[in-house]
Amino acid sequence: MLRASFLYLSHRRGLQRFVTRQRLTASLAYRFVAGDHLDDAVRVVSDVNRRGWSASLDHLGENVSEEKAARAATDDYLAAFERIAAERLNANVSVKLTQLGLDISPDLCRELLTGILQRAQQLDNFVRVDMEGSAYTQRTLDLVLALHERFPNSGVVLQSYLYRTADDVARLNAAGVRVRLVKGAYDEPPEVAFPKKADVDGKYEAEMQELLLHGVYPAIATHDDRLIEAAKRFAREREIPSDRFEFQMLYGIRRDLQDRLLREGYRVRIYVPYGTEWYPYLMRRLAERPANLLFIVRSLIRERRAA
Ligand SMILES: Cc1cc2nc3c(=O)[nH]c(=O)nc-3n(C[C@H](O)[C@H](O)[C@H](O)COP(=O)(O)OP(=O)(O)OC[C@H]3O[C@@H](n4cnc5c(N)ncnc54)[C@H](O)[C@@H]3O)c2cc1C
């Protein structure tokens, strides 16, 4: 119920304007977001790298409705690649196709993604295309598959809550496309997605095994202890070396787990979002764990009392 409410709120543009201006929600957002500017993200990624993790930079933004905004987002990504190279950061980038104009025109989106992939290729870097709501799944996979032959430095995300994902895993494995596997963060109807968490978790485990056996450098992106243990066990049993896959987690979530995996010798990448368009991202993080809201309100009250 709370999950659905936060996901509903994530689409309310009017509320976005109000919430983004409030100090309380801004403090909440900066638990999960590096800061408003590329400089903030670079500082966080330098720290993340110093501690031993790699990173994926996400310049926040989605569902842009003007070409100008899509082109500006592309420029931001090109600038991010320059900084990653100049500062020798161990980081790639994650992009959303609706940020590159998918809602405006598929041709525009293809042109902008191609530009980003070209620059990434010149700099020997990698671009991960995030997966959004199910209305975009087919178009996202079609575009990534169409560009992958020319740009093998591209990969995509699959969501185990969708019924279709087992087939997509097989298709992308056959094409040699790198996959990040997640459970899925959007509000999907029972016609396309498993409503029960237990079913999503079961599918995640099966798809993760397929990716570990037949995929190209898969990313196991979850904070779920049980699934992480299952991945480690499966890789050990099948003698899959720990440099053939990586774990991925979100900035600000389960630092203990991120540390532990690193100590155990696994590769871990932290997804680091930055920028002012944090409202829908924050709402999805609250939907995953509504207790986050309570946690932050309590710590802010404590800070006020101590001040
Ligand atoms: C690197 C990365 C990239 C992602 N990219 C995408 C994408 O492109 N498209 C997409 O749809 N989704 C994406 N997601 C989000 C994903 O779909 C899930 O919504 C999210 O990861 C929560 O699911 P979980 O696997 O951690 O498992 P859950 O069962 O939801 O959580 C397991 C445990 O993790 C911790 N946890 C989970 N979420 C939170 C939170 N918000 N705050 C605090 N603790 C939490 C809790 O301890 C919880 O018990 C991404 C996730 C990661 C880690």
Side-chain angles (χ1 to χ4, degrees):
M1 173 66 186
L2 265 174
R3 177 176 188 272
S5 309
F6 280 121
L7 291 178
Y8 170 76
L9 292 176
S10 73
H11 303 296
R12 313 307 297 175
R13 290 278 168 166
L15 194 64
Q16 168 164 2
R17 276 189 291 278
F18 172 74
V19 166
T20 313
R21 279 193 236 115
Q22 306 305 310
R23 262 194 61 205
L24 177 70
T25 37
S27 331
L28 178 52
Y30 294 120
R31 197 182 121 111
F32 303 109
V33 173
D36 287 349
H37 307 290
L38 180 56
D39 279 342
D40 301 314
V42 167
R43 210 170 312 119
V44 166
V45 170
S46 304
D47 186 52
V48 157
N49 285 172
R50 213 174 10 257
R51 291 164 190 267
W53 302 298
S54 57
S56 191
L57 271 180
D58 165 36
H59 185 249
L60 291 163
E62 52 201 84
N63 293 110
V64 305
S65 51
E66 287 176 17
E67 180 172 338
K68 211 169 89 191
R71 292 196 181 278
T74 306
D75 290 343
D76 288 328
Y77 277 113
L78 298 178
F81 278 124
E82 302 309 321
R83 287 295 293 280
I84 290 171
E87 317 236 354
R88 298 171 183 277
L89 299 175
N90 182 358
N92 58 33
V93 305
S94 293
V95 304
K96 287 187 174 52
L97 293 189
T98 66
Q99 188 182 18
L100 305 182
L102 187 58
D103 287 333
I104 308 168
S105 138
D107 289 343
L108 171 70
C109 182
R110 188 190 176 104
E111 175 205 323
L112 299 181
L113 181 62
T114 303
I116 291 174
L117 289 171
Q118 247 158 4
R119 191 63 190 130
Q121 196 169 54
Q122 286 158 359
L123 294 169
D124 200 17
N125 209 322
F126 176 82
V127 178
R128 176 80 61 183
V129 178
D130 283 350
M131 189 56 81
E132 304 178 67
S134 59
Y136 302 105
T137 310
Q138 191 60 48
R139 282 178 282 170
T140 302
L141 294 181
D142 287 346
L143 186 54
V144 170
L145 280 162
L147 293 176
H148 185 262
E149 209 168 300
R150 212 169 125 208
F151 299 107
N153 61 322
S154 57
V156 73
V157 178
L158 292 179
Q159 299 152 321
S160 62
Y161 64 12
L162 296 184
Y163 301 136
R164 58 175 289 163
T165 293
D167 291 340
D168 290 333
V169 166
R171 195 163 149 230
L172 292 171
N173 280 352
V177 178
R178 272 164 67 171
V179 172
R180 172 202 294 152
L181 186 65
V182 301
K183 290 187 187 178
Y186 296 80
D187 195 17
E188 299 293 356
E191 289 75 37
V192 298
F194 294 97
K196 290 199 188 123
K197 186 172 163 24
D199 292 331
V200 178
D201 292 355
K203 287 289 165 193
Y204 190 102
E205 185 166 352
E207 288 153 4
M208 175 222 354
Q209 293 180 352
E210 272 306 296
L211 287 166
L212 285 170
L213 283 177
H214 306 296
V216 181
Y217 195 67
I220 315 298
T222 180
H223 316 90
D224 188 328
D225 283 288
R226 198 193 65 77
L227 286 170
I228 289 172
E229 285 309 312
K232 284 157 54 177
R233 200 170 45 244
F234 187 76
R236 249 190 333 267
E237 283 166 8
R238 300 302 178 105
E239 297 182 354
I240 300 167
S242 60
D243 61 357
R244 292 266 305 280
F245 62 96
E246 66 183 29
F247 289 106
Q248 294 189 354
M249 293 188 209
L250 301 176
Y251 174 67
I253 297 182
R254 294 298 310 261
R255 260 284 295 276
D256 57 327
L257 205 50
Q258 301 170 8
D259 269 328
R260 196 170 77 209
L261 285 169
L262 204 63
R263 277 200 310 275
E264 290 170 349
Y266 291 99
R267 292 183 172 189
V268 183
R269 187 178 300 275
I270 310 298
Y271 184 98
V272 179
Y274 69 99
T276 52
E277 296 289 311
W278 45 255
Y279 173 80
Y281 183 85
L282 173 65
M283 290 296 137
R284 290 197 289 275
R285 302 297 75 86
L286 292 175
E288 285 153 4
R289 193 162 176 268
N292 279 333
L293 189 56
L294 213 63
F295 175 81
I296 296 290
V297 172
R298 279 208 197 106
S299 59
L300 283 175
I301 291 172
R302 262 201 308 274
E303 273 170 31
R304 287 260 162 84
R305 284 201 180 129

